[in-house]
Amino acid sequence: MTTRKKSGQDTPDTNAKPRRRGETRQEKKEAAEMPLRSNDVTAEQGHAASALAASVPFNRLKALEHGHDNALAPPAGSAMEPAAAPLTASTCSEINGTVKTGGAAAPGMNAAIAPLDRVRADGGGQRLTTNQGVPVADNQNSLKAGLRGPALLEDFILREKITHFDHERIPERIVHARGSGAHGFFQAYRALGEYTRAAPFAAEGKITPVFVRFSTVAGERGSKDTARDVRGFAVKFYTEEGNWDLVGNNMPVFFIQDAMKFPDLVHAVKPEPHHGMPQAASAHDTFWDFVSLMPESTHMLMWLMSDRAIPRSYRMMQGFGVHTFRLVNADGASVFCKFHWKPLLGTHALVWDEAVKISGADPDYHRRDLWEAIEAGDFPEWELGLQIFTEEQAEGFSFDVLDATKLIPEELVPLVPAGRLVLNRNPDNFFAETEQVAFCAAHVIPGIDFSNDPLLAGRIHSYVDTQISRLGGPNFHEIPVNSPVAAVHNNQRDGMHRQAIHRGRVAYEPNSLGGGCPHQAGTAGFVSFPQPVAEDKVRGKPEKFAEHYAQATLFFNSQSDVEKEHIAAAFRFELSKVTVPAVRERMVASLINVSAELAAEVAAGLGMKLPAALPVAAAAPPTPEVEVSPALSLLALPGECGIRTRRVALLIGDGVHGASIGAVLAALDAGGAVGHLVGGHVGKFVTDTGAEIEADRSLENSPSVLFDALVLPDGARTATALALDPHTTAYLSDAFRHGKPILCLGSSQRLLEMAGIPEPPTGDGRVLVSGGDEVDGILPRFIAALAAHRLAPRGRPPQP
């Protein structure tokens, strides 16, 4: 850099000329033999460019663009070394830098691709400025003509601030608008080179950074977390070979078989257009009208009406890639694959009454739960399992693996454990990261390829298209959270919000003026699997797609009795909201093909006669290979972490027995659970020994639905105060009805009687009663009950 010092700052020297390298004796000889020419720098560069271009007499790859063998093994391009670095530069003056421009681009470098540290900003200890860096003297008042005069148009500080504020919101996602995200990593258990060359599976222990976003599907950005809905589970892998987005859900199947129907599905489930209701709910006419006419949706409806649709936490739900994908190894051999995420904390859910009450007490329940767990160092973890199978195996199944309304039972294709996913860092800024992150089903890397799933084909197009609209143009990949860790070099230019400043005058390929760069990678790059195609061009579905009910039946038969009750109750509730009786009747008629037991229970709950079954589309339905799959029940994954991250409410008041409360808190802390002291008000109370104890929650602001268990304290004064508080009865009643463990210490037994909770029978773990001095003996039983999440029967209201 050629600079002059002035006032202690670097100032560009406008008289600086591009430096030339020292000439060697050979170079001087060659220069003497060259024809005389101008010493104009531009002309000199042109002569050198001609020499570089002359080294490419023709496009040697052109002949290799043709033929099947070349399609399977595309040739790599080659680079020509320019005689001098400035030869391929945009300008010979690139060596003159400032604190803004910096120096010349390093060879082969794209500085826009780097850790997010380069764009993190911290205003600590700094003065307030405009977006142009101008210090703001007064951030409290508009510029006016006099203290009581009119505001002046010249107030550029006010205009900038208000204009930016007016544009701070971007269009929300059409679906998956409400979400929560976190950074983390994926660690491979072992190399999977026999199946795939994909970078995350290249070596045992290999670490790949990720960003994960969880979301609801139907609701708008301001809707509630605990709606009955599908949950998105999208993982962005930042690999050295580019970004891979595994964009899935917490359910392994979907409503439709072909992307042609996706707009219809979303229009049906979204609020009805004439009055904009209901928000974040599927219990309305248009949704059930649509799905009752689309029997292919029946399997997904079983999942949606199950407890899977109201998870206890994002940290306690499975994730699925939904579609059948291909894995391709370094030799070009391919197998089919389905992706499964299994949570280390187990699969746990809310009951419907609990979910409804949580939405009023804390609409941000799930995003708060994820954030607080990561902040506390309780990093959520999932295991990735792969269902790997061949095309020959797939052809033998009674269902079609290209049908997104079908799953592959684990009894047919067991999971191959592939690695673990850990989320260990919350975003610095929700908008910049969680809101602007752009997942696209089209983002795959070498070793991962698509199947011919017709729903997946539409998603490959749709996601990219919607991100262009939502994020303001085709350069959304340059937003820091979306940019890869792999180097990005191509000839795409311009467009709205372009960040990269490209060097040189070449923006095409093949070229010779840029030394042939960037050149194609050949077989080192992404090569689509050459699946043979010899079919007519038609609109239609394979015959196996016509079977719509066998796997819905499989799912229902695989549930526990309580889970079946919840499914029936969910159908009853949702259909009771439908105002058109014919739609209710049509849906119940469809359920007969799933389970006569289920249809009869739903019909009875709707006060209607059981209709005749809907006709089925499959003329001769095949016999399913599996009739019951225990893995489809939430109970199949209880979790491996005991009580870690469970939330427990300990009620307190003046006169509370401090020693027993302390013992419970110590036991919870030892197991990794979080104990919250809940009083009639927040703030300080006095224990039986006169010591201070402080409530961080109140009965009013934190109802029992926000906790996994409840502890009633010992202490006569405390019990009396709680008995007089109108919130206490609902607190205890809800906890008992929702199947949560309740530990009752000493004198608080009167609170159970007041709430109408019967004397617990022997062996019933829902209510544990102990004298205040006997807490140490009963704590192991309470900890075991808490680890079970929800006690026998799971969420079932007590019987009269």
Side-chain angles (χ1 to χ4, degrees):
M1 185 189 305
T2 305
T3 59
R4 293 183 303 200
K5 294 291 183 179
K6 182 179 180 181
S7 302
Q9 296 181 351
D10 285 348
T11 305
D13 186 347
T14 56
N15 296 317
K17 295 284 195 264
R19 293 180 180 174
R20 300 186 184 179
R21 298 181 300 172
E23 293 181 330
T24 65
R25 181 174 300 175
Q26 177 64 26
E27 288 172 333
K28 289 179 180 179
K29 179 181 177 182
E30 293 173 354
E33 296 173 351
M34 291 178 62
L36 187 66
R37 61 174 183 250
S38 167
N39 65 353
D40 178 74
V41 172
T42 303
E44 183 179 349
Q45 190 175 33
H47 285 292
S50 178
L52 184 62
S55 68
V56 186
F58 65 94
N59 181 357
R60 69 176 185 83
L61 299 184
K62 195 65 181 175
L64 300 178
E65 294 177 8
H66 312 88
H68 188 265
D69 291 344
N70 289 327
L72 296 182
S78 58
M80 287 73 72
E81 185 69 24
L87 182 57
T88 55
S90 308
T91 169
C92 293
S93 66
E94 66 178 1
I95 61 174
N96 298 321
T98 68
V99 292
K100 175 62 177 176
T101 64
M109 175 184 177
N110 183 342
I113 308 304
L116 295 180
D117 291 348
R118 74 189 192 281
V119 291
R120 290 194 173 100
D122 178 21
Q126 304 301 307
R127 60 187 182 182
L128 187 69
T129 74
T130 69
N131 285 335
Q132 305 306 314
V134 178
V136 176
D138 185 340
N139 190 45
Q140 317 307 319
N141 302 289
S142 304
L143 183 65
K144 299 182 289 290
L147 292 178
R148 301 185 67 251
L152 299 180
L153 185 61
E154 70 182 65
D155 191 351
F156 67 94
I157 296 176
L158 171 67
R159 289 206 317 274
E160 179 194 86
K161 187 175 183 181
I162 293 295
T163 300
H164 192 280
F165 172 77
D166 290 342
H167 296 269
E168 282 180 354
R169 294 297 173 262
I170 63 175
E172 68 176 36
R173 293 165 170 87
I174 302 299
V175 287
H176 297 275
R178 181 173 182 80
S180 188
H183 294 277
F185 64 88
F186 173 78
Q187 182 177 30
Y189 287 159
R190 68 177 181 89
L192 295 176
E194 70 269 35
Y195 300 120
T196 178
R197 58 174 285 197
F201 312 114
E204 179 182 347
K206 183 173 182 181
I207 300 291
T208 302
V210 301
F211 187 84
V212 178
R213 186 176 185 269
F214 305 105
S215 56
T216 53
V217 173
E220 296 173 1
R221 191 161 53 193
S223 59
K224 61 187 180 182
D225 279 355
T226 56
R228 178 178 293 280
D229 200 356
V230 187
R231 297 304 190 282
F233 194 126
V235 183
K236 184 181 291 290
F237 294 81
Y238 301 97
T239 86
E240 65 270 28
E241 293 202 300
N243 286 354
W244 169 33
D245 291 350
L246 182 55
V247 194
N249 290 328
N250 72 326
M251 301 177 188
V253 293
F254 201 61
F255 293 96
I256 51 177
Q257 297 170 324
D258 194 298
M260 182 69 81
K261 301 307 298 175
F262 191 72
D264 297 309
L265 168 66
V266 175
H267 289 166
V269 75
K270 283 289 190 176
E272 297 189 12
H274 63 302
H275 58 28
M277 295 184 287
Q279 173 57 245
S282 54
H284 58 105
D285 289 8
T286 57
F287 174 73
W288 289 97
D289 179 43
F290 175 78
V291 295
S292 66
L293 293 169
M294 296 285 288
E296 68 196 64
S297 299
T298 309
H299 187 195
M300 183 63 171
L301 288 174
M302 300 303 295
W303 286 79
L304 185 63
M305 295 300 106
S306 77
D307 293 342
R308 300 270 185 166
I310 41 176
R312 159 63 179 82
S313 166
Y314 288 139
R315 303 176 293 118
M316 301 172 191
M317 68 182 193
Q318 284 180 270
F320 302 91
V322 179
H323 305 285
T324 295
F325 290 86
R326 283 188 182 275
L327 301 180
V328 184
N329 66 18
D331 296 326
S334 169
V335 290
F336 279 147
C337 175
K338 282 183 174 284
F339 297 100
H340 296 240
W341 297 106
K342 291 194 174 183
L344 197 65
L345 288 171
T347 50
H348 304 290
L350 304 171
V351 294
W352 177 242
D353 181 68
E354 190 179 14
V356 170
K357 291 175 177 176
I358 288 174
S359 69
D362 186 1
D364 302 304
Y365 182 70
H366 283 151
R367 61 170 58 182
R368 190 185 314 279
D369 171 88
L370 179 67
W371 179 276
E372 290 182 349
I374 294 174
E375 289 296 284
D378 291 316
F379 303 139
E381 185 171 335
W382 289 260
E383 180 174 80
L384 177 63
L386 309 181
Q387 281 185 302
I388 299 173
F389 54 101
T390 65
E391 293 193 53
E392 291 72 25
Q393 284 178 282
E395 289 171 0
F397 295 153
S398 64
F399 51 90
D400 196 319
V401 299
L402 302 184
D403 180 354
T405 69
K406 305 295 193 299
L407 54 78
I408 302 178
E410 293 183 29
E411 290 77 7
L412 283 183
V413 181
L415 296 183
V416 176
R420 67 186 188 118
L421 169 70
V422 179
L423 301 183
N424 62 358
R425 176 168 178 161
N426 281 317
D428 287 292
N429 183 273
F430 182 89
F431 177 83
E433 297 170 89
T434 304
E435 189 60 30
Q436 288 196 124
V437 68
F439 293 94
C440 298
H443 292 170
V444 294
I445 56 175
I448 308 292
D449 207 343
F450 309 113
S451 71
N452 288 342
D453 180 335
L455 179 60
L456 176 58
R459 293 181 71 206
I460 291 170
H461 164 75
S462 176
Y463 280 63
V464 175
D465 191 48
T466 194
Q467 301 296 6
I468 290 174
S469 173
R470 193 175 70 86
L471 295 171
N475 293 314
F476 65 85
H477 62 281
E478 292 189 325
I479 295 172
V481 72
N482 295 322
S483 65
V485 296
V488 173
H489 298 291
N490 56 48
N491 295 309
Q492 296 170 18
R493 294 292 186 270
D494 308 336
M496 294 183 67
H497 313 305
R498 189 65 168 175
Q499 301 296 305
I501 301 173
H502 291 280
R503 175 180 180 271
R505 56 175 171 165
V506 169
Y508 54 89
E509 191 280 329
N511 71 72
S512 64
L513 297 179
C517 297
H519 57 76
Q520 65 185 41
T523 54
F526 182 88
V527 180
S528 294
F529 181 75
Q531 182 180 7
V533 178
E535 299 285 349
D536 297 331
K537 184 166 61 176
V538 296
R539 293 186 186 273
K541 295 182 176 71
E543 284 78 4
K544 281 186 179 179
F545 277 46
E547 202 296 300
H548 299 139
Y549 293 106
Q551 290 207 348
T553 300
L554 168 66
F555 180 80
F556 186 70
N557 289 344
S558 303
Q559 305 303 299
S560 66
D561 289 343
V562 173
E563 288 173 302
K564 288 180 178 179
E565 289 179 15
H566 291 176
I567 291 172
F571 272 112
R572 182 176 65 244
F573 173 85
E574 294 267 320
L575 292 174
S576 71
K577 295 278 190 176
V578 172
T579 64
V580 181
V583 173
R584 294 199 296 265
E585 183 174 330
R586 188 192 306 143
M587 193 62 236
V588 174
S590 180
L591 291 179
I592 294 174
N593 295 321
V594 178
S595 165
E597 168 198 350
L598 172 62
E601 188 169 348
V602 174
L606 296 172
M608 58 181 284
K609 294 181 179 179
L610 195 64
L614 280 188
V616 297
T623 302
E625 297 88 344
V626 178
E627 295 185 352
V628 175
S629 178
L632 298 180
S633 169
L634 282 171
L635 304 184
L637 293 175
E640 305 172 10
C641 299
I643 65 171
R644 188 162 67 85
T645 76
R646 304 287 193 201
R647 292 163 52 91
V648 181
L650 294 83
L651 304 193
I652 64 169
D654 285 328
V656 67
H657 188 264
S660 58
I661 290 294
V664 175
L665 284 173
L668 294 176
D669 184 64
V674 181
H676 288 282
L677 300 179
V678 182
H681 57 78
V682 296
K684 295 179 180 179
F685 294 88
V686 179
T687 70
D688 56 335
T689 62
E692 286 188 348
I693 186 170
E694 187 167 350
D696 60 344
R697 302 285 193 277
S698 72
L699 294 169
E700 181 180 33
N701 72 16
S702 298
S704 66
V705 291
L706 301 181
F707 302 98
D708 297 299
L710 176 60
V711 176
L712 303 180
D714 190 17
R717 286 177 59 200
T718 304
T720 299
L722 290 171
L724 294 174
D725 192 312
H727 296 96
T728 303
T729 299
Y731 218 92
L732 272 64
S733 176
D734 279 348
F736 183 75
R737 289 195 309 116
H738 299 153
K740 297 177 180 179
I742 299 174
L743 174 59
C744 181
L745 302 177
S747 53
S748 283
Q749 291 188 51
R750 59 183 289 199
L751 299 177
L752 297 178
E753 300 170 5
M754 183 183 71
I757 296 175
E759 185 74 22
T762 303
D764 186 341
R766 283 179 293 175
V767 180
L768 301 171
V769 177
S770 170
D773 296 331
E774 303 168 8
V775 64
D776 290 339
I778 204 170
L779 274 177
R781 290 176 56 198
F782 178 66
I783 297 299
L786 179 58
H789 177 70
R790 203 178 298 279
L791 298 171
R794 185 187 174 97
R796 181 187 296 168
Q799 302 303 309

